[in-house]
């Protein structure tokens, strides 16, 4: 009911919550084909545990815990979805990671404590170890102490669960619930059933989470609950990487049936001082009167203080506030395709080609860009990608991307060993030249090396396209301006879509723009090559060879 109400607009919610609800409704229809099933009885069991739990704080202390609608949605989906375990021939819990990002004062600690009690007493796991994890013990104790007070105020739980200073234990199943923190370095040697990570944005390194989740191996249905408020805008932090992965999952850029994400925030153009915006960002807005009053008070202060406004946007609206933002919205990117590209229809057509060699140990991109023709008003993007086979699994884990799936689907080509074989790329380029009218091939001269020389010798017109603001600003602006008009056809290529979702551009004082590999969250090579090709297409038909200005460079 909650999902349908959000999708229809009966319940006000932001874009990522809408995506989460659409995902659930879509999986109800199509999930069985992927080995998934929805068990409303199982969801009802776990949601129903709340009747044994009492609130621990303020005026609600001692009252039966009544979950808000958004909490019912999260808990119900987290436990109600199941996946078929073909190896053991049994249904297991579908979701292994639950990522929740909501502003302060929306009941995060209450939800965390409730989840911990579920794992300790009601999940049927012998010898369960439940950990409330945070960067510092003080933070870890917030969740643990909430759970401890829930037990103390609940007569049914108090009879079954032993309450100690730093431990909750269930003697019947030999299970325990404890706080754990990075500053104590206590993550090694544990065997968690549930890990509850509080305020991910405060955690600076991956050490504690990594140590805890590595202990999942002996558990049948382990879960990691990651609950946080919006972090700052530093690229590459644990929060940044998790937030980025969750967004890509919700927007359909990546697929991961073991990962659930719920991120509450306003839509991009919503005014920060509108109560309707506050309701989108705060799923507890309708139910929690103190939350509404707190938002009103803080909004008054924010109107007269830039620092207060920045805090209001981040901590109360769940917005990251710097200029480091995704340059291409996924919805905009999806406007630019009607389905897979038929390469046969491109034969004989003129195209501009660009190659982003990047690092030999990562992904190399070749992109053909076909200008509009009499029979096709679109700019057609035809990308090809290569990557080393030996390190594929390692980089798939590092980048949290579907390299193996893309390789199996023919979207990403692998080269034997741990380096890209540029000879394969060169042979593909020569083959493409027999089918397409390649006007020119653009390289960055810094790493063009022998490949550029080979192309020149083969008769291709090789063009220098250096990594400078002057070269990139016009095609970058054109590319970004043309996307909302659905001017391109990219064939829904999954690797290129992933790279589009990673793109961040930098802007100088004169409003010049160019892609930034340093500030982009993951690989953007295919988009960089597309912009290079567009720069050639709109920059003229008589390019100068890079060898007219310097001698042939041969690297032995």
């Amino acid at each position: 009911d909650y999902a349908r109400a959000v999708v229809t607009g009966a319940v006000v919610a932001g874009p990522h919550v809408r995506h989460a609800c659409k995902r659930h409704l879509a999986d109800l229809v199509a999930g069985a084909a992927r080995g998934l099933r929805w068990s409303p009885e199982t969801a009802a069991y776990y949601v129903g545990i709340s009747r044994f739990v009492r609130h621990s704080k303020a005026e609600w202390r001692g009252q039966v815990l009544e979950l808000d609608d958004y909490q019912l949605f999260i808990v119900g989906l987290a436990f109600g979805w199941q996946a078929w375990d073909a190896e053991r021939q049994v249904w297991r819990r579908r979701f292994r990671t639950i990522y929740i990002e909501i502003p302060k004062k929306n009941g995060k600690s209450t939800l965390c404590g409730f989840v911990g009690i579920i794992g300790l007493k009601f999940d049927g796991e012998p010898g369960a170890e439940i950990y409330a994890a945070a960067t510092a013990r003080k933070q870890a104790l917030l969740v643990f102490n909430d759970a401890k007070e829930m037990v103390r105020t609940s007569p049914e739980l108090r009879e079954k669960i032993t309450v100690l200073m730093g431990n909750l234990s269930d003697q019947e199943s030999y299970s325990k619930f404890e706080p754990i923190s990075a500053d104590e370095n206590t993550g090694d040697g544990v065997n968690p059933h549930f890990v509850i990570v509080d305020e991910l944005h405060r955690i600076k390194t991956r050490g504690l989470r990594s140590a805890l989740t590595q202990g999942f191996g002996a558990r049948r249905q382990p879960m990691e609950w990651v609950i946080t408020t919006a972090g700052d805008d530093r690229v590459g932090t644990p929060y940044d990487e998790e937030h980025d992965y969750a967004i890509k999952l919700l927007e359909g850029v990546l697929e991961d049936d073991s990962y659930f994400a719920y991120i509450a925030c306003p839509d991009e153009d919503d005014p920060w001082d509108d109560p309707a915006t506050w309701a989108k960002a705060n799923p507890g807005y309708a139910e929690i009167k103190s939350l509404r009053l707190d938002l009103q008070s803080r909004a008054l202060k924010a109107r007269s203080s830039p620092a207060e406004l920045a805090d209001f946007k981040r901590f109360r609206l769940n917005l990251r506030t710097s200029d480091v933002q995704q340059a291409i919205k996924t919805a905009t990117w999806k406007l630019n395709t009607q389905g897979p590209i038929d390469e046969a229809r491109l034969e004989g057509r003129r195209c501009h080609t660009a190659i982003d060699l990047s690092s030999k140990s990562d992904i190399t991109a070749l992109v053909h860009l076909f200008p509009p023709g009499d029979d096709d008003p679109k700019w057609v993007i035809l990308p090809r990608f290569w990557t080393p086979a030996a390190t594929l699994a390692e980089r798939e884990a590092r980048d949290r991307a579907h390299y193996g799936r893309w390789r199996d689907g023919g979207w990403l080509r692998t080269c034997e060993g741990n380096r890209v074989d540029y000879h394969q790329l060169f042979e593909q380029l020569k083959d493409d030249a027999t089918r397409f009218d390649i006007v020119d091939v653009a390289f960055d001269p810094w790493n063009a090396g022998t490949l550029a020389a080979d192309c020149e010798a083969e008769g291709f017109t090789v063009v220098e396209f250096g990594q400078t603001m002057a070269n990139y600003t016009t095609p970058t602006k054109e590319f970004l301006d043309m996307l909302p008009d659905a001017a391109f056809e990219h064939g829904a290529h999954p690797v290129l879509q992933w790279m589009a979702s990673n793109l961040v551009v930098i802007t100088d004082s004169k409003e010049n723009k160019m892609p930034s590999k340093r500030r982009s969250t993951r690989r953007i090579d295919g988009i960089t090559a597309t912009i290079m090709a567009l720069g050639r297409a709109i920059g003229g038909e008589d390019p100068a060879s890079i060898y007219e200005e310097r001698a042939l460079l041969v690297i032995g």
Side-chain angles (χ1 to χ4, degrees):
D1 289 345
Y2 176 82
R4 291 191 182 95
V6 166
V7 170
T8 61
V11 168
V12 176
H16 305 313
V17 173
R18 295 197 298 268
H19 285 313
C21 291
K22 289 177 182 178
R23 182 191 186 198
H24 172 58
L25 297 176
D27 285 346
L28 290 176
V29 176
R34 304 198 308 279
L36 306 175
R37 78 173 181 183
W38 167 244
S39 173
E41 298 81 10
T42 305
Y45 165 76
Y46 284 97
V47 166
I49 293 169
S50 62
R51 70 181 183 273
F52 301 116
V53 180
R54 299 292 191 274
H55 278 284
S56 63
K57 291 181 179 178
E59 68 267 27
W60 301 287
R61 182 176 173 85
Q63 297 181 23
V64 173
L65 177 64
E66 294 185 10
L67 299 175
D68 293 342
D69 286 349
Y70 92 93
Q71 295 171 327
L72 288 169
F73 177 74
I74 291 171
V75 174
L77 266 63
F79 293 102
W81 273 106
Q82 299 174 343
W84 179 246
D85 185 337
E87 180 180 349
R88 295 177 176 83
Q89 294 291 296
V90 65
W91 289 100
R92 298 290 195 195
R93 195 148 48 224
R94 169 187 177 179
F95 293 118
R96 182 175 175 133
T97 302
I98 309 295
Y99 180 82
I100 304 168
E101 187 177 326
I102 54 178
K104 291 179 178 294
K105 306 299 182 182
N106 279 272
K108 291 198 300 293
S109 295
T110 298
L111 184 59
C112 288
F114 176 53
V115 167
I117 290 170
I118 288 175
L120 174 68
K121 183 65 185 173
F122 295 96
D123 204 35
E125 181 72 13
E129 297 177 20
I130 314 301
Y131 294 103
T135 187
R137 183 169 180 81
K138 182 178 180 181
Q139 185 69 42
L141 280 170
L142 293 178
V143 171
F144 174 76
N145 287 338
D146 255 24
K148 187 166 68 173
E149 290 306 307
M150 285 178 176
V151 173
R152 281 179 169 166
T153 56
S154 303
E156 297 90 346
L157 296 181
R158 201 165 55 234
E159 292 180 1
K160 301 290 185 180
I161 297 175
T162 302
V163 180
L164 300 175
M165 180 68 69
N167 172 277
L168 295 175
S169 61
D170 174 32
Q171 299 300 320
E172 184 178 359
S173 65
Y174 193 62
S175 299
K176 67 178 182 178
F177 181 6
E178 296 178 344
I180 193 169
S181 59
D183 59 2
E184 295 177 313
N185 195 27
T186 53
D188 294 329
V190 299
N191 184 18
H193 176 48
F194 283 11
V195 173
I196 303 165
V197 180
D198 190 27
E199 297 296 13
L200 177 66
H201 70 91
R202 296 181 183 272
I203 296 178
K204 308 304 180 187
T205 68
R206 300 160 186 80
L208 179 62
R209 282 185 68 199
S210 178
L212 290 171
T213 55
Q214 284 176 10
F216 278 169
R219 297 295 181 180
R220 296 173 298 172
Q221 300 186 107
M223 298 184 86
E224 182 187 29
W225 290 69
V226 181
I227 304 182
T228 188
T229 304
D232 58 29
D233 297 286
R234 287 173 295 169
V235 174
T237 62
Y239 163 80
D240 175 69
E241 293 181 351
E242 203 71 31
H243 173 87
D244 178 71
Y245 185 80
I247 294 292
K248 286 178 169 56
L249 178 71
L250 289 170
E251 293 183 343
V253 175
L254 299 174
E255 296 177 4
D256 185 347
D257 279 330
S258 69
Y259 195 105
F260 172 86
Y262 184 99
I263 302 175
C265 66
D267 283 280
E268 187 174 9
D269 297 326
D270 288 340
W272 69 268
D273 56 352
D274 187 341
T277 302
W278 306 347
K280 282 186 181 181
N282 294 269
Y285 186 82
E287 303 294 331
I288 306 174
K289 182 179 180 181
S290 60
L291 171 62
R292 298 195 295 273
L293 294 175
D294 182 67
L295 286 166
Q296 292 170 10
S297 173
R298 292 181 182 277
L300 285 174
K301 295 179 181 178
R303 287 190 176 95
S304 58
S305 168
E308 289 282 355
L309 178 56
D311 284 350
F312 186 86
K313 288 181 176 180
R314 177 179 169 189
F315 296 116
R316 307 298 166 173
L317 299 184
N318 209 38
L319 293 171
R320 303 177 74 180
T321 53
S322 85
D323 60 348
V324 180
Q325 296 180 359
Q326 182 183 14
I328 303 173
K329 302 302 181 185
T330 300
T332 301
W333 182 255
K334 290 182 177 180
L335 292 173
N336 289 267
T337 186
Q338 298 179 353
I341 294 171
D342 180 4
E343 292 191 19
R345 297 186 60 185
L346 297 173
E347 292 188 1
R349 280 184 57 175
R350 293 171 57 257
C351 67
H352 296 266
T353 300
I355 299 175
D356 189 338
L357 298 173
S358 190
S359 166
K360 273 197 170 187
S361 62
D362 225 305
I363 295 179
T364 286
L366 180 153
V367 172
H368 301 300
L369 180 65
F370 298 81
D374 294 337
D375 299 326
D376 187 353
K378 304 282 189 179
W379 290 79
V380 180
I381 306 170
L382 183 62
R384 309 197 191 284
F385 299 100
W386 288 263
T387 197
T391 57
L392 190 72
E394 173 189 338
R395 288 179 293 109
E396 183 171 54
R398 179 197 71 193
D399 293 344
R400 302 182 78 172
H402 300 325
Y403 292 155
R405 187 183 304 176
W406 293 334
R407 174 203 58 201
D408 296 342
W411 304 105
L412 177 64
R413 307 176 192 194
T414 55
C415 306
E416 291 185 8
N418 58 10
R419 293 170 67 83
V420 173
D421 181 0
Y422 289 166
H423 178 71
Q424 288 188 26
L425 185 152
F426 182 53
E427 291 299 314
Q428 179 64 55
L429 182 62
K430 289 194 297 182
D431 181 67
D432 287 347
T434 67
R435 305 167 58 207
F436 315 132
D437 180 10
I438 298 177
V439 177
D440 48 31
V441 181
F443 282 91
D444 174 7
W446 182 80
N447 59 1
T450 58
L451 182 58
D454 290 342
C455 290
E456 182 90 357
E458 187 66 22
F460 290 104
T461 301
V462 178
V463 182
E464 177 179 323
F465 202 103
Q467 304 289 307
T468 66
M469 186 70 79
N471 283 334
Y472 271 97
T473 185
T474 298
T476 299
K477 289 180 177 179
E478 287 293 323
F479 181 65
L480 296 177
D481 288 346
M482 292 161 68
L483 282 170
D485 295 330
F488 295 95
E489 173 58 68
H490 53 66
H493 195 293
V495 182
L496 193 66
Q497 174 170 291
W498 173 66
M499 291 179 173
S501 72
N502 295 334
L503 180 67
V504 169
V505 300
I506 53 175
T507 305
D508 67 13
S509 60
K510 297 181 180 179
E511 296 299 314
N512 295 309
K513 298 179 182 292
M514 70 176 292
S516 173
K517 290 188 177 183
R518 182 178 64 85
R519 302 183 81 181
S520 297
T521 55
R522 296 292 184 274
R523 310 304 309 177
I524 61 171
D525 313 87
I527 299 300
T528 301
T530 300
I531 293 173
M532 291 167 65
L534 182 62
R536 290 306 315 146
I538 63 179
E541 296 294 332
D542 298 311
S545 166
I546 64 175
Y547 300 108
E548 291 179 4
E549 298 182 3
R550 63 170 169 81
L552 181 68
L553 175 63
V554 178
I555 301 176

